[in-house]
Amino acid sequence: MPKTPAECTTMADVRAEIDRLDRALMALFAERWGYIDRAAEIKRPLNLKADIPARVAEVRENARRHAVAFGLEPDFYEELWAQLIDHAIAHERTLLGEDQE
């Protein structure tokens, strides 16, 4: 049963909960990655590019807004999301054959 931070009484408790959350985050990233693959499949027949600047800006702003809503530092999380976006765009470019142009 997961413990809240306040319920953790030892470093072992804290580490176990962090490890549990890290695994859950990886599962969410894997799920997100499935949507990246699907986006490339949908973009191909529509002749859309991997990099759509308006969407990139929207996702970065969403990251900032969500960070603020959860009491987190928005600059850090926007930059983290920028790295996710860059990696996703590079992957989509490969899938769409844009890196061969």
Side-chain angles (χ1 to χ4, degrees):
M1 182 79 175
K3 294 181 179 183
T4 67
E7 292 170 331
C8 292
T9 57
T10 67
M11 284 306 299
D13 289 346
V14 169
R15 290 176 181 141
E17 293 307 315
I18 288 172
D19 291 348
R20 177 185 61 78
L21 288 169
D22 286 350
R23 181 170 171 74
L25 287 168
M26 287 301 169
L28 290 171
F29 283 131
E31 181 180 353
R32 188 181 194 280
W33 201 253
Y35 290 101
I36 301 303
D37 285 341
R38 185 63 179 136
E41 292 171 358
I42 292 170
K43 286 178 178 181
R44 182 183 318 284
L46 298 173
N47 293 316
L48 295 173
K49 296 288 188 185
D51 187 0
I52 300 174
R55 178 60 181 156
V56 170
E58 179 183 18
V59 173
R60 287 181 70 146
E61 183 52 38
N62 286 343
R64 288 189 71 79
R65 187 171 36 80
H66 295 312
V68 169
F70 283 99
L72 300 170
E73 203 282 303
D75 290 341
F76 174 81
Y77 288 94
E78 180 184 358
E79 184 56 35
L80 181 61
W81 251 249
Q83 290 181 31
L84 289 171
I85 294 164
D86 289 348
H87 189 60
I89 289 171
H91 180 68
E92 282 189 34
R93 281 185 172 138
T94 299
L95 294 177
L96 293 171
E98 291 179 22
D99 57 352
Q100 297 171 4
E101 293 177 355

